[in-house]
Amino acid sequence: MLALALLALACAPGNGGSAASRQVVRVGWAGSPDSLNPGVGILAEAYVIFGLVYDSLYQLELDNSFSLGLAESAEPSPDGLTWTFSLREGATFHDGSTVTAGDVRFSLEMYRDHAELPFAHSYTSEFDAIEAPDDRTVVLHLKHAIPNIESQLVFLFVVPERLWREHRDRPAEFENREMVGSGPFRLVDWRPNEYLRLAAHRAHPLTPPKVDEVVFVTYGSLDALAQAVKTGEVDCIIGTHRLLAN
């Protein structure tokens, strides 16, 4: 996952740690997520958080290649019209419930069926039927064979069906303030345009975090960001393009 890899490479717990026994990375940035709903968010800041809190079948690497994420294996049919995914064993949501093929099917169908989910819906234009023959197998049928299936699935984040089912008809209206995912971090607290706090999800089967918390702090100017790094208020900064553009 790109967001986690960037944090691992660019940040080291420093003065932001609240205690010697806890590893806390504090990240300064110029923005804030526009939504916690992975079907609605548009800003880059939102996608950084989605990538840390949620899993998808594939993940994007630093060299822009793709690797398997929630999927342990992916097998296409000879004609390329059907893909069979086996889910990674041990994947759980942050509330302790198991991630199942039913959750993946529900998520992909939701994105496919709702054009009001702007970016997510656009990735599903070639999706036909989606099946979950058992708890760990997802079968995706395509209208036409496509060579870049990974790029169509990497940002389709898997949500727990039991928490989203009641919002099936109007998913874009769901604020999703609890933000229960299965990614390496879970949401603790969010104050828009102030800060967002994530805590480690140690049970993540693929990339268990090396730190206890990540806190994203919003600053309104480049000077404020630079000063925060100098004083040790944050360990690194990202997303300065927004301030430079202004």
Side-chain angles (χ1 to χ4, degrees):
M1 132 182 323
L2 180 59
L4 183 60
L6 285 173
L7 285 171
L9 289 172
C11 304
N15 294 337
S18 59
S21 61
R22 292 187 61 77
Q23 298 295 299
V24 180
V25 174
R26 295 180 63 87
V27 182
W29 60 4
S32 185
D34 54 322
S35 176
L36 299 185
N37 182 328
V40 174
I42 293 176
L43 295 180
E45 289 85 356
Y47 273 82
V48 169
I49 302 304
F50 296 156
L52 293 169
V53 173
Y54 289 104
D55 282 320
S56 54
L57 293 174
Y58 288 94
Q59 60 184 16
L60 185 62
E61 301 294 345
L62 282 174
D63 62 359
N64 287 322
S65 65
F66 298 97
S67 63
L68 291 170
L70 188 58
E72 189 173 60
S73 66
E75 296 293 337
S77 61
D79 60 8
L81 292 175
T82 301
W83 284 78
T84 301
F85 300 93
S86 295
L87 300 188
R88 197 171 297 278
E89 189 172 3
T92 61
F93 288 111
H94 301 149
D95 61 4
S97 61
T98 300
V99 179
T100 71
D103 296 303
V104 178
R105 178 185 61 191
F106 173 86
S107 302
L108 298 184
E109 288 178 342
M110 177 181 71
Y111 298 135
R112 180 197 64 190
D113 295 343
H114 291 276
E116 70 272 22
L117 306 179
F119 289 161
H121 177 73
S122 68
Y123 292 123
T124 66
S125 60
E126 294 297 336
F127 290 9
D128 195 1
I130 304 162
E131 302 175 275
D134 60 56
D135 282 347
R136 290 188 57 204
T137 305
V138 178
V139 182
L140 172 61
H141 299 277
L142 302 174
K143 300 173 185 175
H144 304 93
I146 52 177
N148 59 338
I149 188 68
E150 301 93 342
S151 67
Q152 305 304 295
L153 291 168
V154 70
F155 295 122
L156 297 182
F157 300 106
V158 176
V159 300
E161 179 181 4
R162 65 181 188 81
L163 297 181
W164 283 71
R165 188 182 299 115
E166 64 182 284
H167 307 284
R168 182 195 305 266
D169 295 332
R170 294 183 176 85
E173 298 177 5
F174 183 30
E175 292 187 358
N176 194 33
R177 295 302 291 259
E178 298 291 325
M179 207 182 189
V180 177
S182 61
F185 288 89
R186 60 179 177 83
L187 178 67
V188 175
D189 190 19
W190 179 45
R191 293 193 179 183
N193 298 309
E194 293 186 29
Y195 68 86
L196 186 146
R197 182 182 298 272
L198 303 177
H201 175 47
R202 298 294 188 189
H204 195 269
L206 184 60
T207 52
K210 297 180 181 179
V211 298
D212 298 298
E213 291 186 358
V214 179
V215 182
F216 293 85
V217 184
T218 300
Y219 292 87
S221 71
L222 285 173
D223 287 342
L225 277 170
Q227 187 63 23
V229 171
K230 288 180 180 179
T231 62
E233 187 174 326
V234 298
D235 300 301
C236 66
I237 58 176
I238 61 175
T240 55
H241 62 280
R242 187 179 302 280
L243 289 175
L244 291 171
N246 292 332

